[in-house]
Amino acid sequence: MAFATAETTTTSLDFGPAVALSCRECGARYDLGPSFACAECFGPLEIAYEFPRVTREQIAAGPANIWRYRSLLPVPADVTAKRNMAPGWTKLVKADNLARELGVRALHVKDDSGNPTHSFKDRVVAIAVEAARNFGFHTLSCSSTGNLAGAVTAAAARAGLDACVFIPADLEEAKIVMASVYGGRLVGIEGTYDDVNRFCSELIGDELGDRWGFVNVNLRPYYAEGSKTLAYEIAEQLGWRLPDQIVVPVASGSQLTKIDKGFRELIALGLVEEKPYKIFAAQAEGCSPVSAAYKAGHDVIRPVKPDTIAKSLAIGNPADGPYVLDIARRTGGAVEDVTDAEIVDAIRLLARTEGVFAETAGGVTVGVLRKLVAEGRLDPDGETVVLNTGEGLKTLDAVADRARPTAVIRPSLDAFRAALA
C-alpha cells in the first residue's frame, strides 16, 4: 500500500504550483510522493497548492488543450514541450434542440468524446504521466473499466514508457481492441472492476510492480486533478462564468469531486464571479450505490455487485462516494439513477437532437437530466451543463438492436417511391 510518509524527499521534483499532499479527512500534510493514503487516518490524499497570480488573458493565450491551465495543475512549467497526448479543450455544444425536447431554457453538452482516445480519461492520464516521469517510473499501469486502459496505453506509447493495464475480462470488445492496439500488455481479470482494483493494490506492494506508476492508485492524487480541467473549460467556454447546474456521471466519484474543486478554485482566484451552483450525480440503476445512499439519507455507501450496460460506470464500491453525497447535498443538487432501457433511449435522444453519439455513460447523464426535469428537481430556467464523457462507437452493442437500414431497395426511383409509401 502506498501510504504517505513525512520523510519523502521532493528536492529534485518539479510539480509546478503543487507544494504538498494533504489528507482530505484530517488535514495532515506530506511531501509530494507516489502515495494515495494518509498514514494517520487512512484518508485519501489530495494535492495542495500555492497558486501564482493568473489572469484570464494568460490562460487564453495558452494552447488549445489542458496545458493552458498548467499554472493550476501539478505539472512542470515546460509540460508543453514534453511528449504527451495534450488532451482537452473539447467542445461545449449549445444543445438547443435537446433543450426544447426536455423543456429546458439553456442547455450545453460538454462533449469529451473529442479527446485523443475519445474519453475524458485522457485528461487524468496526462497529469499522471507527468507524475510518473517525476518519480522515475518506467511502466504505466491501471485498473480500468475500459476507457482508462486505452488512455493509459496510448499515453505510454506517446511518452516512450511501458504499459501494463488490467481490466475485467468481460468488457465491451471495442474497448478491449482500443486498449490493445497501442501496444503494452492488457490483462483480463475474472471478476468485477472492484476485483481488478484490489489486485492492483496488491501488485503495488510486490516486486513485480516495482517502479510502476498505477495512475489511479499510487498516482491517484495527481491523476485526479485532471478532472478539474473540465470545470475550468466549462467556465471559460461559458464566457468565464459558472453554470447554474451540472449533471456529472459517477463511477468512483472522483470526477464529480474535482469538478466541484475546480469551480471553487476559479472563484478563489477571482477568475469567475462567485455564485451558487448545483451539482447532480448520475448513476446507472444496475450500479447505483451512491444514489441508493442518497435516497435513503445515509452517509455510508453500501457496496453492490454491478449489473448494467454502463460498464464504464460499473464500480460497486466507489472510493469517492461519500464525498459525492456531501457535494450534492451542499450544493442543493441530488443523486439519481436510470435503468438500462432509459440509458439506451437517452443515447438515441442525444444523437437524434444534437448529432452527438454518446457512450453509455453519456446516456446515463442525459437520462438522469431528463428524469430530474420531468420530476421538477432541476430548474428548467437555469443554465445547465450535462457531461458526455466518451464516444458512442465504444459501446455499439447498447444500440445495435435497432441499427438497421430504413429500407433495402433496388437502385431505381420507383423502388424508392414505393419504399417511401
Side-chain angles (χ1 to χ4, degrees):
M1 298 290 286
F3 294 103
T5 61
E7 291 76 24
T8 304
T9 178
T10 60
T11 304
S12 61
L13 305 183
D14 183 359
F15 284 101
V19 295
L21 295 174
S22 176
C23 177
R24 199 185 302 180
E25 288 294 323
C26 72
R29 285 170 74 96
Y30 304 91
D31 286 342
L32 295 166
S35 307
F36 65 92
C38 175
E40 300 294 325
C41 71
F42 308 110
L45 298 179
E46 289 196 317
I47 305 294
Y49 295 94
E50 289 180 3
F51 288 130
R53 183 180 180 276
V54 60
T55 66
R56 296 176 179 178
E57 291 74 21
Q58 288 171 329
I59 291 172
N65 54 56
I66 63 171
W67 305 135
R68 68 199 288 113
Y69 310 110
R70 59 191 178 277
S71 59
L72 307 178
L73 297 169
V75 297
D78 65 349
V79 66
T80 56
K82 298 178 181 293
R83 290 179 61 84
N84 56 63
M85 301 294 284
W89 203 244
T90 55
K91 292 180 181 179
L92 185 68
V93 179
K94 194 169 186 296
D96 293 340
N97 296 332
L98 180 59
R100 281 192 295 271
E101 186 104 4
L102 299 182
V104 176
R105 181 185 62 83
L107 178 62
H108 306 267
V109 177
K110 182 57 173 172
D111 184 14
D112 241 26
S113 66
N115 277 311
T117 69
H118 308 290
S119 90
F120 92 96
K121 291 295 187 180
D122 290 315
R123 297 174 181 271
V124 290
V125 171
I127 309 295
V129 166
E130 297 312 312
R133 283 179 166 136
N134 254 322
F135 298 133
F137 293 149
H138 58 63
T139 299
L140 282 186
S141 186
C142 69
S143 51
S144 173
T145 58
N147 284 324
L148 181 57
V152 166
T153 53
R158 175 71 176 157
L161 299 171
D162 292 333
C164 183
V165 299
F166 301 88
I167 59 172
D170 64 347
L171 279 187
E172 300 99 334
E173 184 178 357
K175 290 179 181 175
I176 292 175
V177 171
M178 173 169 263
S180 63
V181 75
Y182 299 109
R185 287 163 288 177
L186 176 66
V187 181
I189 301 289
E190 296 176 354
T192 67
Y193 169 81
D194 299 288
D195 297 318
V196 179
N197 200 42
R198 280 192 294 271
F199 170 79
C200 287
S201 295
E202 294 175 12
L203 185 55
I204 288 176
D206 190 273
E207 62 181 11
L208 285 171
D210 183 47
R211 292 184 64 202
W212 285 28
F214 291 80
V215 300
N216 54 345
V217 188
N218 60 348
L219 297 180
R220 187 175 183 84
Y222 311 90
Y223 157 95
E225 292 293 282
S227 287
K228 295 192 311 182
T229 61
L230 278 162
Y232 298 159
E233 286 181 22
I234 289 168
E236 185 176 358
Q237 289 170 328
L238 286 176
W240 291 108
R241 68 175 188 273
L242 302 182
D244 296 316
Q245 47 209 4
I246 183 170
V247 184
V248 182
V250 168
S252 73
S254 176
Q255 182 187 73
L256 184 146
T257 65
K258 296 307 178 185
I259 286 175
D260 177 62
K261 184 181 182 183
F263 285 162
R264 288 184 288 113
E265 286 176 349
L266 292 176
I267 292 170
L269 290 164
L271 292 169
V272 298
E273 181 180 345
E274 184 172 6
K275 58 169 281 189
Y277 58 85
K278 295 181 179 181
I279 297 185
F280 295 87
Q283 291 202 291
E285 185 182 86
C287 186
S288 54
V290 185
S291 178
Y294 176 84
K295 292 175 181 178
H298 295 162
D299 296 324
V300 177
I301 308 297
R302 182 179 179 180
V304 302
K305 184 175 181 179
D307 182 18
T308 174
I309 61 170
K311 293 185 178 181
S312 62
L313 303 183
I315 297 180
N317 188 18
D320 282 67
Y323 303 108
V324 171
L325 293 174
D326 292 344
I327 291 168
R329 290 165 177 160
R330 170 172 56 80
T331 65
V335 188
E336 188 51 87
D337 56 82
V338 284
T339 66
D340 282 358
E342 289 172 313
I343 293 168
V344 172
D345 194 46
I347 292 171
R348 295 184 181 281
L349 173 64
L350 179 60
R352 174 172 57 81
T353 56
E354 298 299 340
V356 175
F357 185 16
E359 72 160 14
T360 47
V364 170
T365 53
V366 173
V368 165
L369 169 63
R370 178 163 58 179
K371 189 172 185 178
L372 292 169
V373 173
E375 295 177 355
R377 292 191 287 155
L378 185 144
D379 182 6
D381 291 324
E383 186 168 47
T384 305
V385 173
V386 62
L387 265 58
N388 172 44
T389 52
E391 168 62 59
L393 292 174
K394 294 185 177 187
T395 55
L396 287 174
D397 287 353
V399 292
D401 62 318
R402 287 162 52 190
R404 302 287 186 275
T406 304
V408 177
I409 64 171
R410 299 185 311 278
S412 72
L413 290 175
D414 288 342
F416 183 51
R417 289 190 182 93
L420 291 177

